[in-house]
Amino acid sequence: QVQLVESGGGLVQAGGSLRLTCAASGRINVMAWYRQAPGKQRTFVARITTSGSTNYADSVKGQFTLSRDNAKNTMYLQMNSLKPEDTAVYYCPASRPGSAFYEYWGQGTQVTVSS
């Protein structure tokens, strides 16, 4: 069973930056970020394949940048120009090698952006 651990969340003022990290305890395939704001459904943020191909939600394009280090089974989400509407719990799911299904999920990390 692969464990995913997110870190890097916190409180930041609007316009600030944070970098989230998701570390996997074993080999994984596709990694992604989802977020869930209070009272709302969990929504897709971005995803990255082992080859480094990325996809972003329209709401974060040009604002967030996703990267990964396959040797470390770790993914990074650089979040710039943060807005209060980016406030949410950010979750990191991942799929096992050969699969696109997000079988593994982390516990989440809170990001709070103050105005």
Side-chain angles (χ1 to χ4, degrees):
Q1 181 74 6
V2 173
Q3 305 294 322
L4 297 172
V5 178
E6 302 103 330
S7 61
L11 174 63
V12 64
Q13 289 188 331
S17 299
L18 284 174
R19 189 175 83 153
L20 303 185
T21 299
C22 175
S25 61
R27 289 181 63 241
I28 30 66
N29 187 16
V30 180
M31 301 183 80
W33 287 99
Y34 279 69
R35 65 186 180 184
Q36 187 166 18
K40 297 187 177 181
Q41 290 188 331
R42 193 173 296 187
T43 58
F44 169 75
V45 176
R47 67 187 284 271
I48 186 167
T49 67
T50 52
S51 64
S53 178
T54 55
N55 298 98
Y56 297 91
D58 288 342
S59 58
V60 304
K61 282 181 180 176
Q63 181 188 0
F64 292 2
T65 302
L66 193 54
S67 61
R68 68 187 283 173
D69 184 336
N70 290 330
K72 297 181 178 180
N73 295 318
T74 300
M75 171 179 65
Y76 308 95
L77 182 68
Q78 179 65 42
M79 306 187 297
N80 297 326
S81 303
L82 285 163
K83 311 165 190 174
E85 50 264 43
D86 295 316
T87 295
V89 177
Y90 284 70
Y91 296 93
C92 164
S95 65
R96 65 170 64 203
S99 171
F101 174 70
Y102 294 139
E103 180 175 345
Y104 312 114
W105 286 81
Q107 293 300 306
T109 185
Q110 176 71 48
V111 171
T112 302
V113 184
S114 63
S115 58

